[in-house]
PDB file of all heavy atoms in Angstrom:
ATOM      1  N   GLY X  35      -3.652  11.905  -3.709  1.00  0.00           N
ATOM      2  CA  GLY X  35      -3.000  12.282  -4.960  1.00  0.00           C
ATOM      3  C   GLY X  35      -3.053  11.190  -6.009  1.00  0.00           C
ATOM      4  O   GLY X  35      -3.707  10.166  -5.840  1.00  0.00           O
ATOM      5  N   ASN X  36      -2.368  11.436  -7.102  1.00  0.00           N
ATOM      6  CA  ASN X  36      -2.258  10.497  -8.212  1.00  0.00           C
ATOM      7  C   ASN X  36      -0.786  10.282  -8.526  1.00  0.00           C
ATOM      8  O   ASN X  36       0.064  11.080  -8.136  1.00  0.00           O
ATOM      9  CB  ASN X  36      -2.949  11.058  -9.466  1.00  0.00           C
ATOM     10  CG  ASN X  36      -4.429  11.214  -9.271  1.00  0.00           C
ATOM     11  OD1 ASN X  36      -5.116  10.254  -8.969  1.00  0.00           O
ATOM     12  ND2 ASN X  36      -4.929  12.427  -9.430  1.00  0.00           N
ATOM     13  N   LEU X  37      -0.518   9.240  -9.266  1.00  0.00           N
ATOM     14  CA  LEU X  37       0.846   8.950  -9.682  1.00  0.00           C
ATOM     15  C   LEU X  37       0.868   8.815 -11.196  1.00  0.00           C
ATOM     16  O   LEU X  37       0.059   8.089 -11.768  1.00  0.00           O
ATOM     17  CB  LEU X  37       1.332   7.645  -9.037  1.00  0.00           C
ATOM     18  CG  LEU X  37       2.780   7.263  -9.299  1.00  0.00           C
ATOM     19  CD1 LEU X  37       3.726   8.240  -8.633  1.00  0.00           C
ATOM     20  CD2 LEU X  37       3.043   5.858  -8.785  1.00  0.00           C
ATOM     21  N   LEU X  38       1.757   9.540 -11.839  1.00  0.00           N
ATOM     22  CA  LEU X  38       1.941   9.476 -13.277  1.00  0.00           C
ATOM     23  C   LEU X  38       3.342   8.930 -13.530  1.00  0.00           C
ATOM     24  O   LEU X  38       4.329   9.527 -13.110  1.00  0.00           O
ATOM     25  CB  LEU X  38       1.789  10.866 -13.909  1.00  0.00           C
ATOM     26  CG  LEU X  38       2.100  10.992 -15.382  1.00  0.00           C
ATOM     27  CD1 LEU X  38       1.119  10.168 -16.211  1.00  0.00           C
ATOM     28  CD2 LEU X  38       2.040  12.461 -15.798  1.00  0.00           C
ATOM     29  N   MET X  39       3.425   7.777 -14.163  1.00  0.00           N
ATOM     30  CA  MET X  39       4.716   7.157 -14.448  1.00  0.00           C
ATOM     31  C   MET X  39       5.324   7.785 -15.704  1.00  0.00           C
ATOM     32  O   MET X  39       4.641   7.970 -16.698  1.00  0.00           O
ATOM     33  CB  MET X  39       4.556   5.653 -14.656  1.00  0.00           C
ATOM     34  CG  MET X  39       4.136   4.895 -13.428  1.00  0.00           C
ATOM     35  SD  MET X  39       5.404   4.841 -12.158  1.00  0.00           S
ATOM     36  CE  MET X  39       6.697   3.947 -13.007  1.00  0.00           C
ATOM     37  N   ASN X  40       6.619   8.085 -15.636  1.00  0.00           N
ATOM     38  CA  ASN X  40       7.342   8.644 -16.767  1.00  0.00           C
ATOM     39  C   ASN X  40       8.232   7.548 -17.343  1.00  0.00           C
ATOM     40  O   ASN X  40       9.245   7.193 -16.752  1.00  0.00           O
ATOM     41  CB  ASN X  40       8.177   9.840 -16.320  1.00  0.00           C
ATOM     42  CG  ASN X  40       8.926  10.489 -17.458  1.00  0.00           C
ATOM     43  OD1 ASN X  40       8.938   9.996 -18.583  1.00  0.00           O
ATOM     44  ND2 ASN X  40       9.567  11.596 -17.162  1.00  0.00           N
ATOM     45  N   VAL X  41       7.828   6.998 -18.472  1.00  0.00           N
ATOM     46  CA  VAL X  41       8.592   5.955 -19.146  1.00  0.00           C
ATOM     47  C   VAL X  41       8.829   6.418 -20.583  1.00  0.00           C
ATOM     48  O   VAL X  41       7.890   6.538 -21.361  1.00  0.00           O
ATOM     49  CB  VAL X  41       7.832   4.606 -19.149  1.00  0.00           C
ATOM     50  CG1 VAL X  41       8.627   3.537 -19.872  1.00  0.00           C
ATOM     51  CG2 VAL X  41       7.530   4.171 -17.722  1.00  0.00           C
ATOM     52  N   GLY X  42      10.090   6.690 -20.913  1.00  0.00           N
ATOM     53  CA  GLY X  42      10.417   7.157 -22.254  1.00  0.00           C
ATOM     54  C   GLY X  42      10.639   5.997 -23.211  1.00  0.00           C
ATOM     55  O   GLY X  42      11.314   5.026 -22.875  1.00  0.00           O
ATOM     56  N   PRO X  43      10.080   6.089 -24.417  1.00  0.00           N
ATOM     57  CA  PRO X  43      10.291   5.019 -25.395  1.00  0.00           C
ATOM     58  C   PRO X  43      11.709   5.066 -25.972  1.00  0.00           C
ATOM     59  O   PRO X  43      12.360   6.111 -25.980  1.00  0.00           O
ATOM     60  CB  PRO X  43       9.257   5.321 -26.475  1.00  0.00           C
ATOM     61  CG  PRO X  43       9.020   6.788 -26.367  1.00  0.00           C
ATOM     62  CD  PRO X  43       9.210   7.138 -24.923  1.00  0.00           C
ATOM     63  N   MET X  44      12.161   3.923 -26.437  1.00  0.00           N
ATOM     64  CA  MET X  44      13.441   3.844 -27.135  1.00  0.00           C
ATOM     65  C   MET X  44      13.291   4.517 -28.497  1.00  0.00           C
ATOM     66  O   MET X  44      12.177   4.862 -28.906  1.00  0.00           O
ATOM     67  CB  MET X  44      13.865   2.380 -27.300  1.00  0.00           C
ATOM     68  CG  MET X  44      14.049   1.654 -25.975  1.00  0.00           C
ATOM     69  SD  MET X  44      14.687  -0.030 -26.120  1.00  0.00           S
ATOM     70  CE  MET X  44      13.383  -0.856 -26.998  1.00  0.00           C
ATOM     71  N   GLY X  45      14.386   4.691 -29.198  1.00  0.00           N
ATOM     72  CA  GLY X  45      14.366   5.339 -30.503  1.00  0.00           C
ATOM     73  C   GLY X  45      13.476   4.643 -31.518  1.00  0.00           C
ATOM     74  O   GLY X  45      12.959   5.273 -32.435  1.00  0.00           O
ATOM     75  N   ASN X  46      13.269   3.339 -31.346  1.00  0.00           N
ATOM     76  CA  ASN X  46      12.410   2.587 -32.274  1.00  0.00           C
ATOM     77  C   ASN X  46      10.938   2.626 -31.867  1.00  0.00           C
ATOM     78  O   ASN X  46      10.099   1.974 -32.482  1.00  0.00           O
ATOM     79  CB  ASN X  46      12.888   1.143 -32.402  1.00  0.00           C
ATOM     80  CG  ASN X  46      12.822   0.384 -31.081  1.00  0.00           C
ATOM     81  OD1 ASN X  46      12.282   0.867 -30.087  1.00  0.00           O
ATOM     82  ND2 ASN X  46      13.397  -0.808 -31.073  1.00  0.00           N
ATOM     83  N   GLY X  47      10.606   3.400 -30.813  1.00  0.00           N
ATOM     84  CA  GLY X  47       9.222   3.536 -30.367  1.00  0.00           C
ATOM     85  C   GLY X  47       8.783   2.490 -29.359  1.00  0.00           C
ATOM     86  O   GLY X  47       7.698   2.593 -28.803  1.00  0.00           O
ATOM     87  N   LYS X  48       9.605   1.482 -29.106  1.00  0.00           N
ATOM     88  CA  LYS X  48       9.258   0.435 -28.139  1.00  0.00           C
ATOM     89  C   LYS X  48       9.696   0.857 -26.735  1.00  0.00           C
ATOM     90  O   LYS X  48      10.540   1.732 -26.564  1.00  0.00           O
ATOM     91  CB  LYS X  48       9.929  -0.878 -28.524  1.00  0.00           C
ATOM     92  CG  LYS X  48       9.412  -1.438 -29.840  1.00  0.00           C
ATOM     93  CD  LYS X  48      10.057  -2.763 -30.155  1.00  0.00           C
ATOM     94  CE  LYS X  48       9.480  -3.299 -31.477  1.00  0.00           C
ATOM     95  NZ  LYS X  48      10.049  -4.589 -31.816  1.00  0.00           N
ATOM     96  N   ILE X  49       9.098   0.190 -25.756  1.00  0.00           N
ATOM     97  CA  ILE X  49       9.460   0.430 -24.359  1.00  0.00           C
ATOM     98  C   ILE X  49      10.548  -0.561 -23.972  1.00  0.00           C
ATOM     99  O   ILE X  49      10.467  -1.748 -24.295  1.00  0.00           O
ATOM    100  CB  ILE X  49       8.227   0.283 -23.435  1.00  0.00           C
ATOM    101  CG1 ILE X  49       7.108   1.242 -23.848  1.00  0.00           C
ATOM    102  CG2 ILE X  49       8.595   0.484 -21.976  1.00  0.00           C
ATOM    103  CD1 ILE X  49       7.438   2.713 -23.715  1.00  0.00           C
ATOM    104  N   ASP X  50      11.556  -0.066 -23.273  1.00  0.00           N
ATOM    105  CA  ASP X  50      12.666  -0.891 -22.804  1.00  0.00           C
ATOM    106  C   ASP X  50      12.102  -2.091 -22.030  1.00  0.00           C
ATOM    107  O   ASP X  50      11.228  -1.920 -21.175  1.00  0.00           O
ATOM    108  CB  ASP X  50      13.547  -0.041 -21.891  1.00  0.00           C
ATOM    109  CG  ASP X  50      14.786  -0.751 -21.378  1.00  0.00           C
ATOM    110  OD1 ASP X  50      14.785  -1.987 -21.264  1.00  0.00           O
ATOM    111  OD2 ASP X  50      15.766  -0.050 -21.064  1.00  0.00           O
ATOM    112  N   PRO X  51      12.570  -3.300 -22.309  1.00  0.00           N
ATOM    113  CA  PRO X  51      12.075  -4.484 -21.587  1.00  0.00           C
ATOM    114  C   PRO X  51      12.204  -4.376 -20.066  1.00  0.00           C
ATOM    115  O   PRO X  51      11.374  -4.919 -19.337  1.00  0.00           O
ATOM    116  CB  PRO X  51      12.931  -5.623 -22.135  1.00  0.00           C
ATOM    117  CG  PRO X  51      13.340  -5.168 -23.504  1.00  0.00           C
ATOM    118  CD  PRO X  51      13.505  -3.670 -23.385  1.00  0.00           C
ATOM    119  N   VAL X  52      13.217  -3.662 -19.585  1.00  0.00           N
ATOM    120  CA  VAL X  52      13.345  -3.480 -18.131  1.00  0.00           C
ATOM    121  C   VAL X  52      12.170  -2.658 -17.613  1.00  0.00           C
ATOM    122  O   VAL X  52      11.577  -2.975 -16.572  1.00  0.00           O
ATOM    123  CB  VAL X  52      14.690  -2.820 -17.770  1.00  0.00           C
ATOM    124  CG1 VAL X  52      14.780  -2.549 -16.271  1.00  0.00           C
ATOM    125  CG2 VAL X  52      15.858  -3.679 -18.221  1.00  0.00           C
ATOM    126  N   ASP X  53      11.798  -1.608 -18.348  1.00  0.00           N
ATOM    127  CA  ASP X  53      10.647  -0.795 -17.955  1.00  0.00           C
ATOM    128  C   ASP X  53       9.349  -1.596 -18.035  1.00  0.00           C
ATOM    129  O   ASP X  53       8.474  -1.459 -17.177  1.00  0.00           O
ATOM    130  CB  ASP X  53      10.539   0.449 -18.839  1.00  0.00           C
ATOM    131  CG  ASP X  53      11.659   1.446 -18.588  1.00  0.00           C
ATOM    132  OD1 ASP X  53      12.232   1.428 -17.481  1.00  0.00           O
ATOM    133  OD2 ASP X  53      11.950   2.245 -19.496  1.00  0.00           O
ATOM    134  N   VAL X  54       9.226  -2.425 -19.061  1.00  0.00           N
ATOM    135  CA  VAL X  54       8.052  -3.293 -19.188  1.00  0.00           C
ATOM    136  C   VAL X  54       7.943  -4.197 -17.960  1.00  0.00           C
ATOM    137  O   VAL X  54       6.857  -4.384 -17.403  1.00  0.00           O
ATOM    138  CB  VAL X  54       8.102  -4.131 -20.493  1.00  0.00           C
ATOM    139  CG1 VAL X  54       7.010  -5.200 -20.492  1.00  0.00           C
ATOM    140  CG2 VAL X  54       7.973  -3.229 -21.711  1.00  0.00           C
ATOM    141  N   GLY X  55       9.078  -4.726 -17.506  1.00  0.00           N
ATOM    142  CA  GLY X  55       9.075  -5.580 -16.314  1.00  0.00           C
ATOM    143  C   GLY X  55       8.628  -4.830 -15.070  1.00  0.00           C
ATOM    144  O   GLY X  55       7.872  -5.363 -14.247  1.00  0.00           O
ATOM    145  N   ILE X  56       9.085  -3.584 -14.940  1.00  0.00           N
ATOM    146  CA  ILE X  56       8.681  -2.769 -13.795  1.00  0.00           C
ATOM    147  C   ILE X  56       7.180  -2.487 -13.857  1.00  0.00           C
ATOM    148  O   ILE X  56       6.460  -2.663 -12.863  1.00  0.00           O
ATOM    149  CB  ILE X  56       9.489  -1.454 -13.754  1.00  0.00           C
ATOM    150  CG1 ILE X  56      10.951  -1.752 -13.414  1.00  0.00           C
ATOM    151  CG2 ILE X  56       8.890  -0.471 -12.746  1.00  0.00           C
ATOM    152  CD1 ILE X  56      11.884  -0.573 -13.603  1.00  0.00           C
ATOM    153  N   LEU X  57       6.692  -2.050 -15.005  1.00  0.00           N
ATOM    154  CA  LEU X  57       5.264  -1.756 -15.148  1.00  0.00           C
ATOM    155  C   LEU X  57       4.412  -3.009 -14.934  1.00  0.00           C
ATOM    156  O   LEU X  57       3.348  -2.946 -14.312  1.00  0.00           O
ATOM    157  CB  LEU X  57       4.989  -1.138 -16.521  1.00  0.00           C
ATOM    158  CG  LEU X  57       5.642   0.231 -16.769  1.00  0.00           C
ATOM    159  CD1 LEU X  57       5.455   0.651 -18.216  1.00  0.00           C
ATOM    160  CD2 LEU X  57       5.113   1.270 -15.809  1.00  0.00           C
TER     161      LEU X  57
END
Side-chain angles (χ1 to χ4, degrees):
N36 295 302
L37 184 67
L38 174 64
M39 293 291 297
N40 182 353
V41 179
M44 299 185 296
N46 62 8
K48 295 182 179 181
I49 302 296
D50 183 333
V52 176
D53 291 336
V54 170
I56 291 169
L57 296 172

